[in-house]
């Protein structure tokens, strides 16, 4: 008989434990969500910048080279990031800042992409306290990718003269 009363006293224990555990789990998920968003953004931005560098290497004066065309190409790659404030603050106009440097005659090309992200509430408060946000309370993400226009073996084998390349393999 004593075992039965003991079981009755424990009947609501799981409900009380769940009332404490569920908010803690949701808080942990919320705290892990922001780094995942920033990592996703960074991967997409680095890939778009690398594609932009490859495009700049082929930009010639004779071709239809246009800064706006190259920026449009990079923005199409950046469209994988949704225009939601926690991924990319879009607003009335697109806030991507894309800077292109170099062409096929340069020794290297560079693409810089700057993005603004509105942090999630709890993370945003901490970021504000640490001074990681700008004047609009947005976190600024920046990616710079720099690539040489020619592979290293071209420079060591006679530069842009293909006869030097052939002589190395004879």
């Amino acid at each position: 008989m004593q075992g039965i009363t003991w079981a009755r006293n424990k009947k609501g224990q799981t409900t009380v434990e769940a009332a404490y555990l569920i908010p803690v789990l949701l808080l942990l998920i919320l705290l892990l969500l922001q780094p995942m968003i920033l990592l996703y953004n960074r991967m997409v931005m680095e890939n778009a910048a690398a594609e932009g560098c490859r495009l700049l290497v082929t930009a010639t004066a004779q071709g239809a080279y246009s800064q706006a065309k190259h920026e449009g190409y990079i923005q199409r790659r950046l469209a994988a990031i949704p225009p939601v404030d926690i991924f990319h603050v879009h607003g009335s106009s697109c806030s991507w800042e894309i800077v292109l440097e170099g062409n096929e005659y340069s020794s290297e090309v560079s693409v810089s992409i700057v993005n603004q992200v509105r942090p999630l509430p709890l993370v945003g408060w901490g970021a504000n306290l640490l001074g990681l946000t700008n004047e609009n309370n947005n976190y600024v993400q920046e990616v710079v990718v720099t690539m040489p226009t020619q592979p290293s073996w071209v420079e060591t084998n006679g530069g842009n003269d293909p006869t030097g390349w052939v002589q190395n393999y004879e």
Side-chain angles (χ1 to χ4, degrees), residues 133-144:
T133 58
N134 63 6
E135 64 277 354
N136 297 327
N137 293 330
N138 295 331
Y139 180 75
V140 178
Q141 259 186 314
E142 183 175 6
V143 170
V144 178

Side-chain angles (χ1 to χ4, degrees), residues 21 57 63 65 79 83 90 99 117 128 130 146-147 150 152 165 167:
L21 190 60
V57 168
Y65 170 74
H90 201 65
V99 177
V117 177
N128 281 339
L130 294 173
T146 303
M147 292 183 173
Q150 296 291 331
S152 60
W165 307 342
Q167 291 173 356

Side-chain angles (χ1 to χ4, degrees), residues 79-160:
I81 297 175
V84 179
D85 285 351
I86 61 172
F87 284 93
H88 167 65
V89 177
H90 201 65
S92 60
S93 64
C94 194
S95 65
W96 292 113
E97 295 175 28
I98 301 171
V99 177
L100 309 171
E101 295 175 2
N103 59 22
E104 72 171 343
Y105 300 113
S106 307
S107 61
E108 59 183 26
V109 293
S110 176
V111 175
S112 171
I113 302 173
V114 177
N115 180 25
Q116 292 188 30
V117 177
R118 175 140 314 130
L120 294 172
L122 192 59
V123 178
W125 297 325
N128 281 339
L129 289 174
L130 294 173
L132 298 175
T133 58
N134 63 6
E135 64 277 354
N136 297 327
N137 293 330
N138 295 331
Y139 180 75
V140 178
Q141 259 186 314
E142 183 175 6
V143 170
V144 178
V145 174
T146 303
M147 292 183 173
T149 55
Q150 296 291 331
S152 60
W153 64 268
V154 171
E155 297 297 327
T156 58
N157 293 322
N160 289 331

